[in-house]
Amino acid sequence: MPKLKVPDAAHGPLIEVGMMTYPDCQMGMVHGITDLFDVAGRFAVDHGRRPLRVSHWHLQEGGGFARWYDSHPDEAAGNSPAVLIAPGSLHKLLEPGEVEPYARWLLNRHAQGTVLASNCGGAFALAATGLLAGRPATTHWFFAEEFRSRFPDVRMEADRMVVDDGDIVTAGGLMAWTDLGLRIVERLLGPTVMMETARFLLIDPSGREQKHYASFAPRLTHGDEAILKVQHWLQAKGVGPVAVPEMAREAGMEERTFQRRFKAATGMTPVEYVQHLRVGKARELLEFTKRTVDQIAWSVGYEDAAAFRKLFHRLIGLSPNEYRQRFSTPRSLAEVA
């Protein structure tokens, strides 16, 4: 690593990236992305550029926010971060009343020209500002339904790892801070420094997607008992052949009524729902068995393996073979019992 030393020829304040911390926020992310920016700064210096100033901010007892960590404490205290990042939490989401002072501060900083960013559940703080209304955003796939419920006017794109919408950047699951950090480095220090940072930290800089990792979590708390009965029936039935008329009979409804109510309750058509169930089972078989893709396609209800491959890639973002290469476990090297 190059020795960190700010070039003497540079003038003006360092570009600052701030982290908004709060009780129970994910400090692993805060410290990890701080190290990532430190590494990037060292490569920037190696190219004759200035490093990034990294700061951590907290809400003071008397109100207002202040730095409690500063990578360059000799820099002017009155300067404002160019980017402010709201981290997620391993324990809980910021509740509507709790988030208010943080949202007000983020809104104020944004009005002063600061780019706002978030990782994981930090997107809830950004959405609470109202700035995401009508705009795309992402968060951890596990929180996507809760996010849509709280902020229906935001275009939640939970499949995406990072949504860079100019003045607002959101990143997905817990470890998506690596993708977020690289995106910010690329914007502030350029692609060369970003690639060097990624190589040093052994991070794949290519575009990843959360749908590679997210498991299917069907919506079950919608309150429609007839539809819930069908969902439980489908789960118990497994991934064998099933048609919409059969599902409608199980629900005791006329087919068109069933399709309308099923979509309203689950957010998916019956066909889409069954596709997700089948692909979920296929992922399990790819991870834990040595069956061929054709065998797996047949076992989850698809006679046409080519159609299965196309569907799998559309839902997961990887081909079945790519998924197996990335996620298969050592146990899958053994023959299926």
Side-chain angles (χ1 to χ4, degrees):
M1 285 295 296
K3 184 177 179 181
L4 183 60
K5 182 180 178 182
V6 179
D8 294 333
H11 298 286
L14 297 179
I15 298 175
E16 182 177 353
V17 179
M19 247 70 67
M20 181 195 83
T21 63
Y22 55 89
D24 290 326
C25 73
Q26 187 194 357
M27 292 307 298
M29 174 269 174
V30 172
H31 293 306
I33 204 168
T34 297
D35 287 344
L36 184 151
F37 291 139
D38 177 72
V39 169
R42 293 169 186 268
F43 283 116
V45 168
D46 198 39
H47 289 283
R49 303 185 61 183
R50 310 190 80 200
L52 296 174
R53 178 186 185 183
V54 184
S55 55
H56 304 167
W57 297 71
H58 70 138
L59 177 62
Q60 302 176 99
E61 288 187 8
F65 286 79
R67 297 179 185 88
W68 62 269
Y69 166 83
D70 192 342
S71 64
H72 293 77
D74 293 335
E75 288 284 302
N79 292 338
S80 180
V83 180
L84 264 177
I85 304 173
S89 172
L90 290 171
H91 306 288
K92 65 182 184 68
L93 298 171
L94 284 168
E95 297 299 328
E98 182 184 14
V99 76
E100 288 180 6
Y102 299 96
R104 285 197 301 269
W105 184 58
L106 290 170
L107 189 61
N108 177 268
R109 292 297 87 204
H110 182 266
Q112 302 301 315
T114 297
V115 172
L116 302 183
S118 68
N119 184 66
C120 193
F124 284 74
L126 264 59
T129 66
L131 294 170
L132 284 176
R135 300 177 63 173
T138 189
T139 187
H140 194 299
W141 59 266
F142 186 81
F143 299 135
E145 286 304 315
E146 174 69 17
F147 189 97
R148 291 186 180 103
S149 176
R150 285 202 204 178
F151 307 105
D153 56 350
V154 180
R155 287 159 44 202
M156 172 48 54
E157 299 183 3
D159 285 345
R160 298 176 63 180
M161 195 71 78
V162 175
V163 175
D164 186 342
D165 201 33
D167 58 325
I168 299 179
V169 186
T170 54
L174 289 168
M175 295 304 294
W177 63 260
T178 58
D179 303 82
L180 175 64
L182 291 179
R183 182 63 60 92
I184 292 172
V185 168
E186 183 177 23
R187 286 181 58 164
L188 299 180
L189 299 177
T192 299
V193 171
M194 182 276 288
M195 289 298 297
E196 290 175 334
T197 302
R199 283 195 293 267
F200 183 83
L201 295 175
L202 303 181
I203 302 172
D204 180 4
S206 61
R208 298 187 295 161
E209 297 184 42
Q210 289 200 102
K211 62 182 177 182
H212 299 168
Y213 306 88
S215 58
F216 177 48
R219 189 188 300 173
L220 301 172
T221 57
H222 44 71
D224 190 326
E225 293 184 5
I227 299 303
L228 182 61
K229 177 187 175 184
V230 174
Q231 290 177 272
H232 289 162
W233 175 73
L234 288 170
Q235 204 70 46
K237 181 179 174 63
V239 291
V242 61
V244 173
E246 190 179 359
M247 288 186 266
R249 285 194 297 271
E250 184 67 21
M253 299 180 193
E254 186 270 331
E255 188 174 332
R256 290 182 61 185
T257 301
F258 168 73
Q259 296 210 54
R260 175 178 53 79
R261 281 179 55 177
F262 193 97
K263 178 68 180 291
T266 68
M268 298 180 180
T269 67
V271 170
E272 290 169 340
Y273 191 92
V274 171
Q275 288 175 340
H276 277 81
L277 287 177
R278 289 175 170 177
V279 168
K281 180 61 177 178
R283 291 171 67 174
E284 179 182 331
L285 295 173
L286 288 166
E287 292 172 24
F288 295 106
T289 77
K290 288 181 66 179
R291 297 182 196 177
T292 67
V293 173
D294 286 8
Q295 289 172 331
I296 290 173
W298 180 270
S299 68
V300 299
Y302 291 96
E303 296 182 5
D304 185 344
F308 165 74
R309 285 182 170 89
K310 184 176 181 180
L311 172 68
F312 191 96
H313 191 278
R314 177 168 63 82
L315 294 184
I316 305 302
L318 300 169
S319 72
N321 284 326
E322 289 170 336
Y323 185 88
R324 170 170 273 164
Q325 290 170 5
R326 184 173 295 193
F327 295 107
S328 63
T329 67
R331 183 177 299 178
S332 65
L333 299 178
E335 293 292 338
V336 181

